[in-house]
Amino acid sequence: MPLAILALAVSAFGIGTTEFVMMGLLPDVAHNLGTSVPTAGYLVSAYALGVVVGAPLLTALGARIPRKRMLLLLMGLFTVGNLASALAPGYATLLAGRFLAGLPHGAFFGVGAVVASRLVAEDRRARAVAAMFLGLTVANIVGVPAATLLGQHLGWRATFVVVSVIGLLALGALAALVPHLPAEEHTGITHELRALREPQVLLGLLTAVFGFAGVFAVYSYLASMMTEVTGFAESSVTLLLALFGIGMTLGALAAGPLTDRALRPTLYGSLAALAVVLVGFHYAAGSKVAAPIAVVVLGAVGFLTTTPLQMLVMNKARRAPTLASASNHSAFNLANAGGAWLGGAAIAAGWGWTSPALVGSVLAVVGLAIAVTAGVLDRRAPQTASAVVATSTRKAHEGVAAE
């Protein structure tokens, strides 16, 4: 793999660390700023909202900017957002800093995925994109636990200072290793939006919203499940979250080669496996032996869906793939918010701490149904076009014969 992909992975590591670390720092932030933990929880939502808003907006505005310069601008904005979070004097300014840090997230991964795919041969494009995403998964194994531990001992502000330093290192790596690539030909806001309206792109984004919501329905309440149901001590939660990150990494490593070989079958298989694993998770959560294994497997099959979904929308918006690629990360964050809300609703309804796993399984099945429907429509489209051509040719021959 080109060294430029390493620079993208380092950037993804920083982004992944700041995205997930707030969940472990909420009690410390709430105590320091004199607010409640539920109110501090809006800091997680502020970041996700920044991703949803920033992914299409910044990508569209930067459609004509050369790719390397765009990556540097986005990583610069990410670094400023984290530095603003570290220096925030109060809750409102920290909320604004989190929103600012989230703005470049989706756009960076969208542009980065397109750049990674252009640096390798056609038959290795998915592996290149998956390699970039490895930075995100490694963040959950190393970055998030280490940053959480740092924040608990030196204060939560120290965490965002360190993430800002990672951002600066990523800027240096991007500047040194990523080659200059022009923006895609014929790009512009109108052209990108036209590509985003393609039915297959929209169905791919819808698949991401429902399919990946199943993962977040469980992940959002994983700590509570492991302590309330499985019986692990709170001190074990960091290790269990790291196990989830190990599963994500295994899923990312498998996703690249599988997607390069057979995109839609990989997507169908991963969503079907996710639905089954989520049902199994519901029962495995009661065992201290089975639960950690289930956490790893859930991370693996959950992240196995991301690369085929990313490649699908990029392929179907081939003439203007950047906005579609970035919008996929908006879809993932909508899945995050929707899955967490539905999982919480199930718990509030009295269905039990593990009920989000069953809710997630239903969401994965819905995602699979959308993906299969999209595949059927995609197969029929060329046949329909061929039929039109054949009919036109036949009529032309008949016209000649009649003359």
Side-chain angles (χ1 to χ4, degrees):
M1 288 288 175
L3 285 176
I5 295 178
L6 175 62
L8 294 171
V10 170
S11 304
F13 177 84
I15 292 173
T17 299
T18 203
E19 178 182 16
F20 293 107
V21 74
M22 183 55 73
M23 297 172 186
L25 295 177
L26 286 181
D28 301 280
V29 172
H31 176 74
N32 181 258
L33 297 181
T35 188
S36 67
V37 171
T39 300
Y42 291 126
L43 295 166
V44 178
S45 302
Y47 185 92
L49 181 61
V51 179
V52 173
V53 172
L57 179 63
L58 295 182
T59 305
L61 291 176
R64 295 186 181 277
I65 298 176
R67 303 297 81 185
K68 179 175 180 175
R69 187 183 304 168
M70 185 65 178
L71 288 172
L72 291 170
L73 289 171
L74 292 170
M75 185 50 57
L77 181 59
F78 167 82
T79 304
V80 169
N82 280 283
L83 189 58
S85 297
L87 300 175
Y91 175 77
T93 47
L94 179 56
L95 198 70
R98 289 289 291 170
F99 178 80
L100 183 63
L103 281 174
H105 176 126
F108 184 90
F109 278 113
V111 175
V114 173
V115 169
S117 68
R118 291 174 63 182
L119 293 173
V120 296
E122 183 77 18
D123 62 346
R124 298 183 65 85
R125 292 171 67 233
R127 268 168 277 202
V129 172
M132 180 187 71
F133 283 145
L134 278 176
L136 187 63
T137 66
V138 172
N140 281 272
I141 302 173
V142 180
V144 173
T148 301
L149 193 64
L150 178 71
Q152 290 170 346
H153 285 82
L154 299 180
W156 59 268
R157 296 180 188 277
T159 296
F160 293 109
V161 170
V162 170
V163 173
S164 299
V165 172
I166 295 173
L168 290 174
L169 292 174
L171 276 168
L174 291 170
L177 300 177
V178 175
H180 288 280
L181 296 171
E184 289 75 24
E185 293 182 5
H186 311 299
T187 53
I189 293 178
T190 303
H191 193 73
E192 290 277 357
L193 289 174
R194 190 180 301 119
L196 194 61
R197 291 198 301 266
E198 288 290 329
Q200 286 294 322
V201 173
L202 293 175
L203 287 170
L205 296 176
L206 199 58
T207 301
V209 170
F210 281 94
F212 213 67
V215 178
F216 279 104
V218 172
Y219 184 77
S220 302
Y221 305 98
L222 186 61
S224 296
M225 290 182 196
M226 294 297 101
T227 55
E228 299 292 335
V229 178
T230 316
F232 283 110
E234 289 186 4
S235 58
S236 302
V237 169
T238 301
L239 176 60
L240 291 166
L241 292 176
L243 288 178
F244 187 85
I246 291 172
M248 291 171 65
T249 303
L250 294 174
L253 288 170
L258 288 173
T259 303
D260 276 328
R261 188 174 297 114
L263 193 157
R264 286 199 187 271
T266 299
L267 179 58
Y268 300 156
S270 61
L271 288 170
L274 179 60
V276 173
V277 167
L278 284 166
V279 173
F281 191 94
H282 172 72
Y283 296 101
S287 167
K288 284 189 175 182
V289 175
I293 297 172
V295 169
V296 175
V297 175
L298 177 60
V301 297
F303 213 77
L304 188 59
T305 65
T306 58
T307 300
L309 281 168
Q310 188 75 37
M311 296 307 300
L312 178 66
V313 297
M314 286 169 59
N315 290 344
K316 295 304 176 183
R318 185 174 289 273
R319 294 188 63 191
T322 310
L323 181 56
S325 177
S327 296
N328 205 37
H329 293 274
S330 291
F332 284 141
N333 275 268
L334 287 174
N336 185 344
W341 181 76
L342 290 171
I347 295 171
W351 294 354
W353 281 108
T354 60
S355 59
L358 299 180
V359 171
S361 181
V362 173
L363 291 169
V365 170
V366 173
L368 176 60
I370 296 171
V372 171
T373 300
V376 170
L377 293 175
D378 199 30
R379 285 196 304 272
R380 286 180 177 176
Q383 294 172 2
T384 303
S386 298
V388 170
V389 173
T391 301
S392 300
T393 304
R394 187 182 68 252
K395 287 182 177 180
H397 283 304
E398 289 173 353
V400 173
E403 292 177 359

